[in-house]
Amino acid sequence: MPQMSDAVVTRFAPSPTGYLHIGGARTALFNWLYARGRGGKFLLRIEDTDRARSTPEAEKALLQGLSWLGLDFDDEVVSQFARADRHREVALQLLAEGKAYKCFSTQDEIQAFRDAAKAEGKSTLFQSPWRDADPATHPDAPYAVRLKSASEGETIIKDEVQGEVRIKNATLDDMILLRSDGSPVYMLAVVVDDHDMGVTHVIRGDDHLNNAARQMGIYTAMGWALPVYAHIPLIFGADGKKMSKRHGATGAHEYQHLGYPAAGMRNYLARLGWSHGDDEFFTDAQAKEWFDLDGIGKAPARFDFKKLDNICGQHIAASEDDVLVDELLEFMGATGLPALSDEQKNTVKQAMFCLKERAKTFPDLLDKGQFAIATRPIVPDEKSAKALDTVSRGMLTALTPHLQNASWVREDLEKILGDFAEARETKFGKLAGPLRAALAGRAATPSVFDMMLVLGREETLARLTEAAETN
RNA sequence: GCUCCGUUCGUCUAUCGGUUAGGACGCCAGGUUUUCAACCUGGAAAGACGAGUUCGAUUCUCGUACGGAGUACCA
């Protein structure tokens, strides 16, 4: 009997400093899948406390990226910056309870200490002399508020992905909660926000694994229940190095512009570093049902465009025609391609059955379906123009009457063209080239019969006649 | 430097002490064919290295190598 307290709450908490990175998109996806598969909530928090680097444009890009990927979140977007007073309040409470203290060491002093320690090859861990100082000795100067964390024993992070990670408390410093200007620090903000938002599962990149030990100190000082942690490995480029521009697309929006279907992206990204037995291709419903933290691998995975292509191709092939047309139009709008006329849309939809089996992306779909979008006159490209020599044009002229009264079904068309070829003592293959050139202006197209069926008798004959007449 | 994490075919992964180490992408060969695809059949391809525990290690422990993260009054 699930209770209110059992409800899963996950969150995605990006900084608005750029576009939605593909790695971040995967982190968001994992959180989304985990919550959605358990009837929980998936929240979005914008970590905009760094005013210098945060921009409204970046926040918008983040939202757009998530929206494209279909990762819908619950409740309002939370701005971390807007909650600074609450963060401060917690720090002050800790200070009042003696779980934090005022540190008057200046940044210069600390830096000097660290430099010296480094030069001597000793630990650069700063231990504030003010930790146990008598308040009577406090100077009248700016101070930072530091958490009085345990200096002995060890902190054990029970991580769903990494297992039990033990970190000696002696290697952790007394982290700063409030800067000397009174502003709360990120580490504090994260903990307070996660707690206040009721986050039960923190699924994030493993670059935060070490931070978890520090953050746990705040939870315990406040007497708050710890969330379940799952630190997932980052994704790398094909060469095993951190994803960067030279690996190709790093932003989620770039994949949209490359024409990958969102469902395929979700499938590929979910499968990257996570597995459910041998399942490779799955629907959102299956992913939500299957996704679990213990299926996440510990090693960073490399991004593989070939496999992305393959998975996306399967998703396109498995999609309904009208859904595909809608997505295709959306893609064209997003990339600034000219809009299609209603007639073109309709023809593309009619053609979808023979296009979707062979396309991996929307541009691919558009390319393969070019014959359905093209309008007369069909201008053959260089390659197909060669198939329209005098002899071929003569052939097309001779063929046209045979199609005039044909019943427009595949079986009959096959027979007519087959017989026609036979009568001319040639093979259908010889006929296919010119037909392709006439119908599509291309050398590589879907099946000649499929094109004829999609185009219909009138349009087919018009294109054939035109091609036969052209010089 | 110190702390922490990781390492199975080229890539993503399965395996939860005993397997001919399985699947998928990619690749190669063959088939189908009307071009390009798609599709079908088959094939090559892996436990980083070294110790230890054990009747038996890919699996458990330790070390080495390599890779990564953290070590801020950044987020």
Side-chain angles (χ1 to χ4, degrees), chain A residues 9 21 28 37 40 48 75 78 80 129 155 159 163 179 193 200 212 246 250-251 329 350 357 393 407 413 418 439 448:
Chain A
V9 179
H21 190 272
D48 51 359
D75 303 346
V78 173
Q80 188 159 67
T155 297
D159 194 279
R179 299 188 186 89
D193 288 347
T200 59
R246 70 197 157 81
T250 54
L329 295 176
Q350 297 308 313
E357 301 282 333
R393 277 189 272 118
S407 65
L413 291 176
L439 260 20
V448 167

Side-chain angles (χ1 to χ4, degrees), chain A residues 347-469:
Chain A
T347 316
V348 168
K349 188 178 170 183
Q350 297 308 313
M352 206 50 96
F353 79 95
C354 67
L355 304 178
K356 66 181 183 182
E357 301 282 333
R358 46 183 74 202
K360 299 178 192 311
T361 61
F362 293 127
D364 214 7
L365 211 51
L366 239 28
D367 183 61
K368 301 243 167 29
Q370 175 275 158
F371 80 93
I373 295 168
T375 50
R376 278 178 284 130
I378 303 297
V379 182
D381 62 17
E382 203 178 326
K383 245 187 182 170
S384 68
K386 289 179 186 159
L388 282 179
D389 53 24
T390 321
V391 179
S392 302
R393 277 189 272 118
M395 224 156 45
L396 292 181
T397 310
L399 171 65
T400 321
H402 295 269
L403 295 169
Q404 217 70 260
N405 298 306
S407 65
W408 217 250
V409 296
R410 193 184 175 105
E411 205 179 27
D412 291 351
L413 291 176
E414 279 180 8
K415 188 171 187 326
I416 291 169
L417 293 193
D419 290 349
F420 179 79
E422 206 175 316
R424 304 206 130 217
E425 289 182 342
T426 181
K427 284 199 225 162
F428 171 68
K430 287 280 179 196
L431 211 53
L435 281 170
R436 259 185 262 286
L439 260 20
R442 299 276 190 95
T445 72
S447 152
V448 167
F449 301 109
D450 286 340
M451 289 195 291
M452 290 172 77
L453 255 14
V454 169
L455 259 17
R457 186 204 318 270
E458 200 181 321
E459 179 66 18
T460 298
L461 289 174
R463 291 189 186 190
L464 293 186
T465 309
E466 231 171 55
E469 288 167 355

Side-chain angles (χ1 to χ4, degrees), chain A residues 14-26:
Chain A
S15 306
T17 54
Y19 49 79
L20 174 61
H21 190 272
I22 195 68
R26 190 183 62 138

Side-chain angles (χ1 to χ4, degrees), chain A residues 16 46-56 59 79-82:
Chain A
I46 303 292
E47 310 218 312
D48 51 359
T49 55
D50 186 337
R51 302 318 284 168
R53 288 198 292 161
S54 301
T55 66
E59 183 173 338
S79 157
Q80 188 159 67
F81 177 69

Side-chain angles (χ1 to χ4, degrees), chain A residues 36-352:
Chain A
R36 291 285 177 262
R38 272 152 253 266
K41 280 187 172 185
F42 170 59
L43 307 178
L44 178 65
R45 179 174 71 233
I46 303 292
E47 310 218 312
D48 51 359
T49 55
D50 186 337
R51 302 318 284 168
R53 288 198 292 161
S54 301
T55 66
E57 292 75 33
E59 183 173 338
K60 201 175 155 203
L62 245 20
L63 257 18
Q64 276 174 347
L66 290 173
S67 160
W68 170 63
L69 273 169
L71 306 183
D72 58 314
F73 51 88
D74 299 297
D75 303 346
E76 296 295 303
V77 180
V78 173
S79 157
Q80 188 159 67
F81 177 69
R83 292 174 42 80
D85 285 343
R86 159 97 259 240
H87 304 149
R88 210 165 359 247
E89 178 186 317
V90 170
L92 263 16
Q93 182 185 333
L94 254 16
L95 189 60
E97 292 173 357
K99 290 169 180 164
Y101 61 92
K102 298 176 180 179
C103 172
F104 295 88
S105 297
T106 65
Q107 291 181 62
D108 288 346
E109 281 168 21
I110 297 170
Q111 193 51 51
F113 161 80
R114 276 203 261 262
D115 290 345
K118 200 165 190 177
E120 290 176 54
K122 290 199 285 197
S123 167
T124 56
L125 191 80
F126 179 72
Q127 286 172 300
S128 173
W130 302 96
R131 180 176 163 119
D132 298 306
D134 181 344
T137 64
H138 283 1
D140 181 19
Y143 58 86
V145 175
R146 305 186 94 112
L147 181 70
K148 195 179 283 184
S149 49
S151 49
E152 289 170 5
E154 56 183 11
T155 297
I156 302 173
I157 307 167
K158 286 188 183 167
D159 194 279
E160 294 297 308
V161 173
Q162 309 290 341
E164 278 194 7
V165 178
R166 294 158 181 275
I167 296 182
K168 290 184 188 63
N169 290 146
T171 65
L172 265 25
D173 63 356
D174 285 344
M175 59 179 287
I176 285 184
L177 264 19
L178 250 36
R179 299 188 186 89
S180 44
D181 66 359
S183 63
V185 105
Y186 163 78
M187 291 280 202
L188 204 220
V190 169
V191 172
V192 175
D193 288 347
D194 281 341
H195 171 265
D196 289 0
M197 289 163 77
V199 173
T200 59
H201 296 253
V202 172
I203 304 170
R204 77 223 306 191
D206 68 2
D207 48 335
H208 283 97
L209 182 58
N210 288 277
N211 287 342
R214 301 180 132 71
Q215 292 171 191
M216 282 169 69
I218 303 177
Y219 276 101
T220 29
M222 287 301 289
W224 290 340
L226 286 169
V228 173
Y229 283 113
H231 288 92
I232 64 178
L234 274 10
I235 46 184
F236 288 163
D239 59 358
K241 295 274 164 47
K242 209 167 163 181
M243 265 279 216
S244 67
K245 277 294 165 198
R246 70 197 157 81
H247 294 114
T250 54
H253 65 285
E254 294 175 77
Y255 291 84
Q256 177 185 18
H257 287 195
L258 250 18
Y260 288 105
M265 282 305 288
R266 284 194 293 272
N267 188 158
Y268 176 72
L269 250 21
R271 189 62 187 66
L272 191 62
W274 169 79
S275 64
H276 180 264
D278 284 338
D279 296 305
E280 301 282 349
F281 173 81
F282 40 78
T283 62
D284 285 334
Q286 287 170 316
K288 287 174 191 170
E289 187 189 330
W290 294 339
F291 186 80
D292 204 356
L293 269 15
D294 59 19
I296 301 174
K298 292 187 183 182
R302 301 180 187 205
F303 199 94
D304 182 1
F305 281 90
K306 287 277 178 54
K307 188 143 187 175
L308 206 216
D309 283 348
N310 178 275
I311 292 288
C312 285
Q314 291 188 58
H315 276 273
I316 286 179
S319 295
E320 298 290 336
D321 292 355
D322 45 359
V323 173
L324 232 29
V325 172
D326 287 345
E327 289 188 332
L328 180 65
L329 295 176
E330 201 176 319
F331 162 76
M332 294 177 76
T335 50
L337 258 25
L340 298 183
S341 68
D342 287 346
E343 201 185 328
Q344 284 173 314
K345 283 181 203 168
N346 197 264
T347 316
V348 168
K349 188 178 170 183
Q350 297 308 313
M352 206 50 96

